[in-house]
Amino acid sequence: MKIITNPDKEIADSVKEGLKRTGGYCPCRMERTKDTICMCKEFKEQINDPEFEGFCHCMLYYKTLED
């Protein structure tokens, strides 16, 4: 398993800019709680799922099942 940043630089840069504006909270979420601080609780749970492969909600990170 590996976690990588989205290889689409435009998307990654846009999300990173949003993180700067929100003080580290997921820019795709309306609520600002400890669960929405990047890397958010939802994606951490997806990382722990051995079957999950894909992007986090905001598309900044990707979990691959390959080594």
Side-chain angles (χ1 to χ4, degrees):
M1 175 201 72
K2 282 196 285 190
I3 306 296
I4 61 171
T5 303
N6 191 329
D8 184 323
K9 185 172 172 18
E10 189 175 325
I11 290 173
D13 288 348
S14 177
V15 175
K16 288 177 185 177
E17 189 60 39
L19 287 167
K20 287 179 190 175
R21 282 194 316 272
T22 63
Y25 292 95
C26 180
C28 303
R29 304 285 185 178
M30 295 299 292
E31 57 189 16
R32 303 285 185 249
T33 69
K34 67 178 183 170
D35 291 342
T36 62
I37 294 174
C38 189
M39 183 176 285
C40 69
K41 179 182 178 185
E42 178 184 1
F43 191 57
K44 288 177 184 175
E45 290 171 354
Q46 290 171 325
I47 290 170
N48 290 328
D49 178 354
E51 305 277 321
F52 176 79
E53 180 171 19
F55 285 101
C56 66
H57 184 264
C58 67
M59 304 272 300
L60 179 58
Y61 296 111
Y62 185 82
K63 176 190 172 191
T64 177
L65 297 177
E66 298 177 13
D67 288 329

